[in-house]
Amino acid sequence: MNKPRRKSPTKRKSVANKFETTPERKEVTDANRARDRNTAPTIEVRGDNLVFVSPDEITGDLQLMETLGSPDAKFQSGLIWQLANAGSQGSGLDENSINFMLSMVNGIGPQDEVEAMLAVQMAAVHSATMSSARRLNQADNIMQADSAERALTKLARTFTTQMEALKRYRAGGEQKITVQHVNVEDGGQAIVGNIQRRGGLSKKSGPTS
């Protein structure tokens, strides 16, 4: 078998010079990379494997970190496989569904591992919600319709709860204190303010004399 022929050093140098990085080319490359890093990576299903497709290795790493909010490769791999299994029906992996769910996660924009896990759950619940809506529309009898309607209602409520949980988590547990003016007669008691935690948790301060 003939070995591949190597190009002469002169020719290699000529080709390298042709594509030499210039300030203009670097500006375009950086702009394209900044655009690509804000999009979810594309996944191809090859047998039992998941393969990430990206313009280059650096951009691919940036896409994963931006989409999942974590630089941890083990976390990324585990969460992607969980998403893939949740987004596929039967024993096979559904490439279109996996990429759609990953785009949903990217749209939520998780900033850390906790937000990434919640975002994946939200994507899975949304997909299940739409499946229940399809079953409801295709129901052949009242029993099927009732079952699909109950599932649809529970899933829709769960998604709303997940959105509220994400909002509370991102708020960082900030407190809002409102003090209202009151008049207190001798020997009387009054509540001087309400302490409200974001997300609906609230409690009143104890009575003061």
Side-chain angles (χ1 to χ4, degrees):
M1 180 181 294
N2 295 329
K3 294 183 179 180
R5 297 178 58 186
R6 293 187 176 183
K7 296 180 180 180
S8 64
T10 302
K11 186 172 293 184
R12 284 204 305 269
K13 184 176 180 181
S14 175
V15 173
N17 289 339
K18 180 179 179 181
F19 294 98
E20 181 181 1
T21 299
T22 63
E24 292 77 13
R25 288 198 182 108
K26 186 177 184 303
E27 183 178 355
V28 173
T29 300
D30 291 344
N32 289 337
R33 183 168 290 170
R35 178 202 63 201
D36 292 336
R37 70 181 294 181
N38 291 323
T39 62
T42 299
I43 295 180
E44 289 185 359
V45 176
R46 299 178 185 176
D48 294 330
N49 297 318
L50 299 178
V51 179
F52 293 97
V53 180
S54 60
D56 55 76
E57 186 175 354
I58 294 178
T59 303
D61 290 341
L62 290 174
Q63 285 179 322
L64 275 176
M65 286 190 288
E66 291 289 334
T67 297
L68 299 181
S70 172
D72 190 330
K74 293 180 180 179
F75 176 81
Q76 294 171 358
S77 177
L79 198 61
I80 290 296
W81 273 106
Q82 289 182 341
L83 181 146
N85 290 327
S88 302
Q89 297 181 356
S91 58
L93 296 172
D94 188 335
E95 185 175 292
N96 290 331
S97 180
I98 294 171
N99 283 296
F100 174 55
M101 290 179 65
L102 195 57
S103 293
M104 282 193 278
V105 173
N106 184 71
I108 294 172
Q111 299 300 308
D112 57 29
E113 287 82 356
V114 173
E115 290 190 9
M117 290 186 287
L118 184 55
V120 168
Q121 293 175 27
M122 292 173 69
V125 168
H126 170 76
S127 295
T129 301
M130 302 313 295
S131 294
S132 295
R134 183 181 68 250
R135 289 196 300 111
L136 178 60
N137 289 332
Q138 297 177 351
D140 295 327
N141 52 61
I142 295 179
M143 184 177 298
Q144 291 179 357
D146 287 344
S147 176
E149 183 180 10
R150 286 194 299 270
L152 178 61
T153 301
K154 290 180 180 179
L155 288 165
R157 288 175 177 172
T158 298
F159 187 81
T160 301
T161 302
Q162 290 172 325
M163 290 180 61
E164 294 172 350
L166 179 61
K167 182 179 179 180
R168 289 198 303 270
Y169 181 79
R170 286 179 169 174
E174 296 178 8
Q175 296 181 348
K176 179 181 178 182
I177 301 177
T178 303
V179 178
Q180 299 176 344
H181 177 73
V182 294
N183 293 320
V184 183
E185 301 294 339
D186 291 340
Q189 294 181 337
I191 296 175
V192 298
N194 295 328
I195 300 177
Q196 296 182 342
R197 298 180 183 272
R198 295 193 176 186
L201 298 178
S202 64
K203 64 179 182 179
K204 295 183 179 180
S205 60
T208 60
S209 58

